[in-house]
Structures are given as structure tokens and as C-alpha cells.
Amino acid sequence: MQTFKLFTGLTGAVLLATNALSANGASAQEPVEISISCGAVGVELELCQEGADAWAEKTGNTVSLVSTPNSTTERLALYQQLLSAGAKDIDVFQIDIIWPGILGSHFIDLAPYSGGVEDKHFEAIVSTNTIDGELKAMPWFTDAGVLYYRKDLLEQYGHDVPETWAQLTDIARDIKEQERAAGNDGFWGFVFQGRAYEGLTTNALEWLDAYGAGTIVDADGEVTVNNPQAVEALTMVSGWVGDIAPEGVLNYAEEEARGVFQSGNAAFMRNWPYAWSLGNSEDSPIKGKIGVAALPKGGENGQHTGTLGGWNLAVSRYSEHPEEAADLAMYLSSQAEQRRRAIKGAYNPTINALYSDDEVLAANPFFGELHSTFVNAVARPSEVVGRSYNRVSNAFWNATHSVLSGAVGADEALEGLEGSLNRIKRGGW
Ligand code: GLC
């Protein structure tokens, strides 16, 4: 079983205040301790801690944070172990947008606690989180893949922001060669998430969708992944490793890609919005030199796209304090908290009103410029395949990984993948 770390979510001062409250009889109920699992990618844990502390101070309860693995694939395995054992260790779970179908049965319906506030959130996200009429999680932040580029280097070498993947490949190669000729030996053209895990599924779906190749499995549950546009997309990426991208990209998740880009060693990066605030932090070598654009189109007839990601807050059925746990989930997903997290950490709100908030837009100009990327992001087929999603995604990321690494060609990989997905389908989505 995975190890996970426990953090105590309250300072001594707040504990004292809590005791004083109960001693005065000012607190209606006995304070309880709620534990919440938070991600720890970039500044996630810090932001979660601050939000949880504020709730604790407001309510007199205490909160402990459980930090979980950065890889969403490893996090799912940990959650499945805990939940299938009915563990009471975690009350509030931070869950990926692709998991309601897999984990939903372990969570309570939050509608009785929400007061209808979910109506202010993006409808598509609320609907993904609703299973059999029950609101299994409150939207917390949304994500879409975007293209980061070095403004200074594009200007220095006379390039525009690439519109197509073919242009990106050429520009990335040119800048890499010129930087290397200037003595920058460790410089690369493009970094992304190429490890065999869920992150590669999100990147590869963007390659496919950019070429109009569909979404692996369509809305009717048909396996559509083996098509000529998908062959074109994967053929395009098959030459990247060792040319514009380092060998290491085959094992990169989000933070490894950000590490290379933020240290100034890549011209382009595919990542989620959180990398913006970190790339522009005081100690970042590329502060002020970063641009953000929609990911390239497949070709002239292709489309700009980004995979829909994001995280939501669910309350375990095994929690001993569901009411307080639901209150914490509601507090953290509130408009005020989402605004704070957007300004401080570039986490995309799930509440449309915040996309016209001056301070949010000043901190993240691309939230406005790329608004349509965020609202039209392409969803992975998690709703249609439900419980089978992780197996479907696993087959897809393995197939795309084998093309990236040069082990097999695009045609062969897609044909094999089609067979594997149809076998999973025969067992029932
Ligand atoms: C981000 C997304 C999430 C996705 C993951 C893949 O955390 O928000 O939806 O599954 O990346 O690595």
C-alpha cells in the first residue's frame, strides 16, 4: 500500500481559540477533526492548507491534510485501496474529473448540503459529477491543456506562435539547434507529459482531437480510435523524441516538464494552467518571458483544442462526520476560495462569473484570451465507459507511449489498441 503523509492543519493559536469557543459554550457542537486529501503538484498543498485552516478557524473544527501522489494514476490506486476497504481515514477526497464513474458509489450526495449553489458552476462539470441524480462532488477547479512558449526566444529567432503541430515541430527544432550552436547544450524544443500514465492520455487526446480524429471511444460507446486522422496525428509525434524532445520525456509527468521549461531549457511546453503562476514567480529564471496560447491545430483543417481536466471535492460514505466534511467541501469550492486560488496559483475557477473578475484576469490574462479553450475543452470518454475508464485509458496511453518511444508505428499501435478496447467493451463498459 502506498504511504501517504499526514499534516496537521491547525496552528496552536487556532487550537486555543477552538478550546475557548467550546469552553464558552459558544460553539453549538463538539469540534471534530476532518481529514482531506489534497494534491501536492506545484503550490496545491499550500493553497489547500490555507483554505482548510480558514474553514477550521471559522467553524472551530480541525482539519488534517493528507498529501497524495502527484501522478493521478497512482492517486487513483491509493483511493481505490482506501475506499474499497471502507477506510475512515479520509473524509474529503480531491477527485479527478474522470473518476465519478469509477469511484462515485463511495461518495455521498452533496445536493442536500449545497443549497443549489452548483447552478453557478459550469454545467458540464456539474453534470459529470452527477451520477444517478446524486451530486457526487463539488467542482473545485477546471483544467485544459495549453501551450507555453518563450516569448523572448520566438522574437530572437524571428518566429510566430505556431498555429499547427507541423509548425511547432519546425520552430522547436530551429530554436533548439540555434541555442545549442550558441553553447546551450541542454536546450530542447518541446516538453510535455510522455510517461505511460493518465497524463499521456490527456496529451495524446489533444493530438488526436487537433486532427479531428475523435475521442478514442465516441459518445455512443463505439471504439473509433483506429482512423486515418489518428494515424496522421500519431505519425507526426513519432519522430519527436530525440529530435525536439529529450529521451527523458518518455518518463515526464507535469512537474518534470515544468522543471525543464522553468529552468530555461525548452522553447515550448504543454501543461495545465498552474504552471503559469509558478513560471512567473519571483525566483523563476523565465519570469516575464512566458506566453500562453491554445495548443496547435492538426493541419489547416484541424482545430485548436485542449483536454478537459480538473478536480472536484467528494465526501466519503465512510466518513464519521459527513455534515462537517460536506461543509468543508462547500467552503473550499466557494466563489471566494476559487477566486483566491485563481489569483494566487492560476487554478481555473469552475464559476463563470470569475472569468470577468478584474483581479483574476490581471493575474492570469490567458483566462480571458483562451476562455473558449477552457469552456470547449475536449472530454476524455470517462462518462461513456464509466467504470472501465482506467482500463481504456491504460490501453490508450500504452499504445501512444509505444509510438513515441519508436517501438511500433502509428498504424500498428492503433490497430492493436482497437482490438484491446473492443475486448474491454465486450466485457461491458
Ligand atoms: C491534471 C488534470 C487531470 C488529469 C491529470 C493528468 O491534474 O486536472 O484531470 O487527469 O492532470 O495527469
Side-chain angles (χ1 to χ4, degrees):
M1 166 138 169
Q2 290 271 359
T3 50
F4 53 91
K5 305 169 220 151
L6 274 172
F7 292 81
T8 305
L10 269 190
T11 60
V14 178
L15 275 172
L16 281 177
T18 309
N19 290 338
L21 263 185
S22 351
N24 293 340
S27 163
Q29 281 162 343
E30 276 297 296
V32 298
E33 172 159 333
I34 297 297
S35 67
I36 175 171
S37 78
C38 299
V41 176
V43 293
E44 262 190 309
L45 197 65
E46 183 187 323
L47 286 173
C48 183
Q49 179 87 61
E50 289 166 358
D53 281 353
W55 176 81
E57 201 161 350
K58 178 174 161 254
T59 60
N61 297 305
T62 57
V63 185
S64 62
L65 262 60
V66 179
S67 139
T68 49
N70 276 355
S71 155
T72 188
T73 301
E74 289 173 30
R75 208 182 295 180
L76 176 62
L78 170 65
Y79 282 9
Q80 282 177 316
Q81 280 174 332
L82 289 170
L83 289 166
S84 59
K88 301 183 194 325
D89 311 42
I90 301 180
D91 301 286
V92 181
F93 283 82
Q94 173 179 340
I95 67 161
D96 200 326
I97 186 75
I98 50 182
W99 295 344
I102 302 176
L103 299 179
S105 60
H106 297 287
F107 301 132
I108 65 167
D109 181 12
L110 290 174
Y113 304 96
S114 74
V117 76
E118 64 274 19
D119 292 350
K120 283 192 182 171
H121 295 251
F122 290 127
E123 203 186 329
I125 301 179
V126 175
S127 132
T128 304
N129 284 317
T130 305
I131 306 274
D132 295 333
E134 295 195 354
L135 182 61
K136 295 294 189 179
M138 272 305 291
W140 199 18
F141 63 93
T142 186
D143 257 342
V146 291
L147 179 70
Y148 290 86
Y149 59 91
R150 286 282 301 277
K151 283 191 296 197
D152 56 328
L153 295 178
L154 286 187
E155 196 182 315
Q156 182 180 339
Y157 296 112
H159 291 296
D160 292 329
V161 178
E163 273 291 307
T164 64
W165 280 111
Q167 287 169 3
L168 179 137
T169 307
D170 289 345
I171 298 170
R173 188 181 303 117
D174 180 59
I175 299 180
K176 179 194 120 181
E177 282 168 3
Q178 301 219 48
E179 281 290 301
R180 291 198 172 203
N184 200 349
D185 288 342
F187 196 86
W188 289 99
F190 182 42
V191 290
F192 55 96
Q193 292 75 48
R195 180 187 297 178
Y197 80 124
E198 184 62 31
L200 177 55
T201 289
T202 61
N203 283 239
L205 177 59
E206 283 156 358
W207 306 330
L208 261 56
D209 193 44
Y211 282 84
T215 56
I216 312 164
V217 173
D218 72 10
D220 298 326
E222 291 302 317
V223 174
T224 56
V225 75
N226 188 16
N227 64 67
Q229 290 88 344
V231 173
E232 209 187 332
L234 291 191
T235 303
M236 185 243 348
V237 309
S238 64
W240 281 353
V241 173
D243 176 14
I244 61 171
E247 286 281 336
V249 83
L250 292 168
N251 202 27
Y252 282 3
E254 285 78 4
E255 286 290 84
E256 288 80 10
R258 184 173 70 84
V260 174
F261 186 72
Q262 193 167 314
S263 57
N265 287 321
F268 297 103
M269 169 176 73
R270 182 275 177 206
N271 217 322
W272 309 100
Y274 84 98
W276 168 257
S277 86
L278 292 160
N280 283 310
S281 60
E282 276 315 313
D283 58 354
S284 165
I286 56 166
K287 177 176 178 351
K289 296 179 177 168
I290 312 168
V292 185
L295 288 163
K297 302 193 278 191
E300 287 317 319
N301 300 324
Q303 56 191 354
H304 293 290
T305 181
T307 295
L308 176 71
W311 293 81
N312 309 288
L313 293 170
V315 172
S316 167
R317 267 177 49 197
Y318 318 110
S319 167
E320 283 169 344
H321 309 291
E323 198 167 319
E324 290 84 354
D327 194 57
L328 174 59
M330 295 312 302
Y331 179 88
L332 292 176
S333 59
S334 68
Q335 183 155 337
E337 258 299 286
Q338 291 207 4
R339 183 171 186 276
R340 184 183 75 83
R341 293 169 55 89
I343 294 167
K344 195 160 174 192
Y347 284 94
N348 281 64
T350 59
I351 298 173
N352 205 26
L354 288 172
Y355 288 81
S356 41
D357 182 293
D358 289 345
E359 229 179 301
V360 169
L361 292 176
N364 311 288
F366 67 100
F367 279 16
E369 292 148 16
L370 301 184
H371 187 246
S372 74
T373 302
F374 297 117
V375 293
N376 299 320
V378 58
R380 288 161 275 177
S382 56
E383 275 192 74
V384 68
V385 305
R387 281 173 188 283
S388 306
Y389 177 71
N390 200 46
R391 292 176 67 206
V392 168
S393 184
N394 194 306
F396 180 62
W397 78 57
N398 279 333
T400 49
H401 194 266
S402 65
V403 174
L404 269 182
S405 69
V408 293
D411 301 60
E412 198 187 326
L414 287 167
E415 207 178 299
L417 174 62
E418 182 179 40
S420 310
L421 294 180
N422 277 322
R423 272 194 297 281
I424 301 174
K425 184 183 174 186
R426 278 197 290 279
W429 286 140

